[in-house]
Amino acid sequence: MSEQTLSGSPGTLALYPRAVAPLIPGLSRLPFVPGRGKTVPTRELVLEDVSVDPEHLARYARVCGFRLAATLPATYPHMLAFGLHMKLMTRGDFPFAPVGLVHIENTITQRQALRTTDRLEIRVSATQPEPHPKGRTFAFLTEARVDGEVLWEERSTMLRRGGGGGDVRRPPSRPKQPDLPARAQWTLPGGLGRRYGSVSGDRNPIHLTGLTARLFGFDSAIAHGMWTKARCLAALEGRYPTAFRAEVAFRQPIKLPGRVTFASEERPSGLRFAVRDTKRGTPHLDGTLTRLERAHT
Amino acid sequence: MSDLYTQLVNNPIGKLVASNVGLPQPVKLDRWSPYASVVDGQALFGAAPGGRLLTAIAKVLAMVEVSTSTSLRTDLREACAAADLDAAVFNPEAPGEQRFKALVYDASGIKSSEQLAELRAFFGPSIRRVQPSGRVLVVGTPPENAGSPKEAAAQRALEGFVRSLGKELRYGATAQLVYVAPGAEDDITSTLRFLLAPKSAYVSGQVLRVTPAPDTPENPGALDWDLPLAGKVALVTGASRGIGAAIATVLARDGAHVVGLDVPALGDDLRDLMDELDGSAFELDITDVDAGEQLVTHLTAAHGGVDVVVHNAGITRDKTLGRMSADQWDLVIGINLTAEERLNDALLEAGTLRKGGRIVCVSSMNGIAGAAGQTNYATSKAGVIGMVEAMAPVVAKQGHTINAVAPGFIETAMTAAMPIGPREAGRRMNSVSQGGLPVDVAEAIAFFAKPVSGGLNGNVLRVCGQSLLGA
Amino acid sequence: MTQKLRRAAIVGGNRIPFARSNSTYAEASNQDMLAAALEGLVSRYGLEGERLGEVVAGAVLKHSRDRDLTRETVLGSRLSPETPAYDVQQACGTGLEAAILVANKVALGQIDVGIAGGVDTTSDAPISVNDDLRRILIDLNRQKTNAGRLRTLAGVRPGQLVPDFPRNAEPRTGLSMGEHQAITAARWGITRAAQDELTAASHTNLAAAYDRGFMNDLMQPYLGQERDQNLRPDSTVEKLAKLKPVFGGPDGTMTAGNSTPLSDGASTVLIASEEWAKEKGLPVLAYLSHAETAAVDYVGGDEGLLMAPAYAVPRMLARAGLTLEELDLYELHEAFAAQVLTTLAAWEDPVFAREKLGLDAAVGTVDRTKLNVNGGSLAAGHPFAATGGRIVASLAKELHARGGGKGLISVCAAGGQGVVAILESEGV
């Protein structure tokens, strides 16, 4: 696996033209346009000595409902890695074009809370494509290290719809979440996608406006999956230890504006949580938070 | 009695002119009024380390209810606490905006010339904070009571210091030195009150000595300081006009029953004034051979005695000595000095002067300084000083006191008649650049006349605005 | 009802570094900072999931949304959500008063353990609409029809749109705290040099405390801030002497150096019964043994705004049967260097003792080598309500480390109030 250390976080805005390029007929044959490779290159991108910008952290915390604490929200390193995800995908040899990828699962494992003052090393790589009943999937593997020690890991599974794999046996699907007691109702404003997009750098058109979303086949703008997960963890703030694993599966997208219900319950297997449409009960997110032994205690 | 110049330079244009051409700028001095407090402003209280008068001074300051500041030195603060004086703080190193109507300094701790540096340390940062008509009081130990020659020298040095301060101070502010003999610490109340108050408006650069009084009041704060002479009979000679009338008026204000005495020729004026003051008129030529006897008889019969005797009657018959007749000489000496001696003798012998009696004589600045054309007058007035000094220990034995007031240039009908040259010279050649008023002399006399002034005996107090003459 | 009082033990504390206004913590709210300080305390003392007797904290500058600030903070914390909480507010005395409240309940046996804290932000200050506009908006809300709403809105004038910024001024005098203290300082003849000297000592002492690791278990970094931002370890009297006065006019003695800056920060203190601490295997650093709160009439009377501690301490000492000199350490909150110096001067003054306190002798003299030994608010900064907790935790630790002793805490507060307390330690 080749390792490339970047001098700074790549600006995601500059990468978007390349991300969108494969959508334009003919362009996909050009060498620098992503989506041409058949396999995921074994490349690891590394960003060293990353420090947290408190102002950005504050904006992130505010949009997601976290408090601005001495430790980072568990979903925050995803922000720091997002540029690397984009960078990895916008290479010409990457088999999937970023636009149109659907984030279907996300698992964060935090061995120890990262502090706002930590100097982080962020490492990103991607797994080989796997067949999926609805297409093909791959996953971004992300690590955050402090002083060489991996304190935080993330697996983000992305789905590319269509393109074969129909014959693949359905993977053992996650056991259906039992009904959880409702804890809160959230009213999500129409501009939420734009607001989170400007904080996260994820300006995927499907999140921004109804118009841009319709270009990609959605009725309206949809909420970012990682926002929804972050919002759930913020709602559970204080109810989980600093060492834990938070797994979520993203179900139906949340249309914006919208009103959703947050549900959670402590179970022997872990803290279960879910987001449902308030009126129809449509599942948007199912998650489990499990306690880990501390990394070094 | 108008001082046109003072009025002129106190109007805006006059003030501008005077300041631009460097003329003296006399201010209107603060004077007593029924509503004024003793100190119309704040006092700063300091002391050389080791002073023995701190608590005594603090008690007076507390009594007159002047808002007082001190530095945060333990001895000062403890003295204030002991005197129940809620003193604020003044730190010359962080001076702020504070201005003072009075600076009061206990110098009794100064035992050597080296320690005189304490004076500069205290007054250096504070002297320019003294307000118009402000007061600087230095209190020390009489050199004759000092424990060592060095201490005596240092204490005597205070006189030069205070007199110079008096000359440096501006806008009607004055400086005095009070020597307090050992054992007289609790007898300083009336002296400090007088010197702090507007009553001493025209007194500056003076030295007063306080000795142990035979009758120190237990609690001077409980006395009626508005009517200190209530129930007392006060004889004032030459009471019909001028300074004498002012003396009678002030003593009456202080509660005394005034017996005004003057020659029959001035009987009308005298009776009018005494009617006004609810006093009694007594016509007498004090140069009569039996004047003393007549006075004793009258005072005994009409008033049962007398408590205060003010020898004010006096005349001038100015001529240079070569041109002076024997009559002119004899008349002045006879009225101004011999008559006083005889009256005193008679009153003392007959016991007409009741216990705790106060004799106050009017001397004159010219009796100290001398004046051309006034050999007779100056001789008589210097003699008055000699009489006071000599009689002091004598009368003390009977519980009385005798003191003298020596007026400088006082605005009277007499001075108004002077030619402009000598008149203006007299008015301006003093530290407050103006003449005094008869009331200023009267206030000094009333101060000596108080029952609580028993610590003052044999003093000669000049009321001259610190005149350059004879100083 | 007779019951034996228990001793209220200070187990430890945690705070975040204090930051200067509109700086590192510009984006942090009161709840953010209080939560951060609380989280650190929870971690340090293993309180995850614990149901405590109560958490008491407060803020001086509070948004209307921060009603029940402390309870909201607890709800997001890793303490048991069944831990009750309430807010207190007593200006700069908030933090210490909160500790006294918790300690009193522990002493009475009403609770076994509690947390006291305080937080303030001057960066995220509650700006409110001015009173005119507020009334218009209330009226707008009452209107039932669009026409009515329009009528109401038509009455708005531009001047009414100017927001009200919270001002550091006493409502009844219109003077800022600094202006008040400048008057008091002048009244007590406090010099610029003395103020600068105290300020330099504050910085030197706090810097030394960091250098020897004293702060390590009293603090957790927050938003990139590892130390108190206001700390200037190289501060000297000479450098401070160059600053221009900010209070008391051009001849004033109070500068930005010898006055505390507006600050942001939060602190917490864990207070428990001895039994609770023993059960948890936690140390007892000190006991909060005495407390007193005083107030002075700075409006109609002639006392200085920040002079209340000068009254509170002698009263407390009398009740405790102690003299000022019997205390081993003194923590006088340095709102302004001049405030500390006037307080010390008042205690040394027989006149103040007699006239203001009715005592026969001066209260006493504080040995300067025992004063604010680990720095004070001049160096650390002063997020109003957070200062009490900072002092309680560090004094308890210092007394404990010295093998025991008694320490005084004195905090002056707006409104002419003063909160004081004594900590006693038996040492290691």
Side-chain angles (χ1 to χ4, degrees), chain C residues 134-144 148 152:
Chain C
R134 192 176 62 82
R135 286 175 197 290
I136 289 166
L137 293 173
I138 290 170
D139 187 40
L140 194 67
N141 197 37
R142 273 195 217 109
Q143 295 293 336
K144 301 272 187 286
T152 302

Side-chain angles (χ1 to χ4, degrees), chain B residues 186-431:
Chain B
D186 291 330
D187 296 310
I188 61 172
T189 310
S190 70
T191 307
L192 262 53
R193 276 186 77 111
F194 171 69
L195 294 177
L196 286 170
K199 288 178 176 178
S200 61
Y202 202 57
V203 178
S204 190
Q206 298 307 297
V207 181
L208 282 172
R209 279 176 162 75
V210 183
T211 47
D215 47 2
T216 308
E218 272 296 305
N219 179 8
L223 298 175
D224 185 349
W225 286 88
D226 288 331
L227 293 172
L229 296 175
K232 303 289 182 187
V233 175
L235 172 76
V236 179
T237 67
S240 64
R241 291 191 304 193
I243 292 174
I247 295 167
T249 306
V250 168
L251 294 180
R253 177 203 72 189
D254 283 356
H257 177 85
V258 176
V259 179
L261 184 153
D262 220 319
V263 288
L266 295 170
D268 289 346
D269 286 355
L270 181 66
R271 277 189 297 277
D272 287 351
L273 180 65
M274 288 307 126
D275 283 352
E276 211 174 293
L277 300 177
D278 273 342
S280 320
F282 182 49
E283 291 168 26
L284 179 73
D285 182 345
I286 55 170
T287 56
D288 285 355
V289 184
D290 63 345
E293 203 176 308
Q294 288 184 53
L295 184 62
V296 166
T297 307
H298 173 80
L299 288 174
T300 309
H303 306 289
V306 69
D307 303 289
V308 176
V309 176
V310 180
H311 293 298
N312 165 68
I315 57 160
T316 55
R317 292 294 181 270
D318 294 357
K319 280 279 186 293
T320 52
L321 189 60
R323 298 171 189 277
M324 194 179 289
S325 68
D327 278 354
Q328 286 167 333
W329 177 273
D330 292 342
L331 196 59
V332 168
I333 301 291
I335 292 174
N336 292 4
L337 180 55
T338 314
E340 291 185 12
E341 290 173 328
R342 296 216 303 248
L343 293 185
N344 284 346
D345 288 348
L347 292 169
L348 290 168
E349 239 165 70
T352 313
L353 187 64
R354 289 190 285 236
K355 191 169 185 329
R358 303 279 179 259
I359 301 171
V360 190
C361 305
V362 178
S363 176
S364 167
M365 187 175 70
N366 287 357
I368 298 165
Q374 287 198 325
T375 47
N376 51 355
Y377 183 77
T379 301
S380 71
K381 291 299 184 182
V384 167
I385 292 170
M387 174 184 75
V388 163
E389 288 174 352
M391 288 294 286
V394 177
V395 300
K397 286 182 189 138
Q398 302 168 50
H400 309 311
T401 67
I402 182 166
N403 294 282
V405 169
F409 185 93
I410 302 298
E411 304 282 355
T412 61
M414 194 172 76
T415 55
M418 284 167 70
I420 185 160
R423 191 176 69 214
E424 276 309 300
R427 271 180 182 156
R428 307 303 162 206
M429 285 170 66
N430 59 64
S431 296

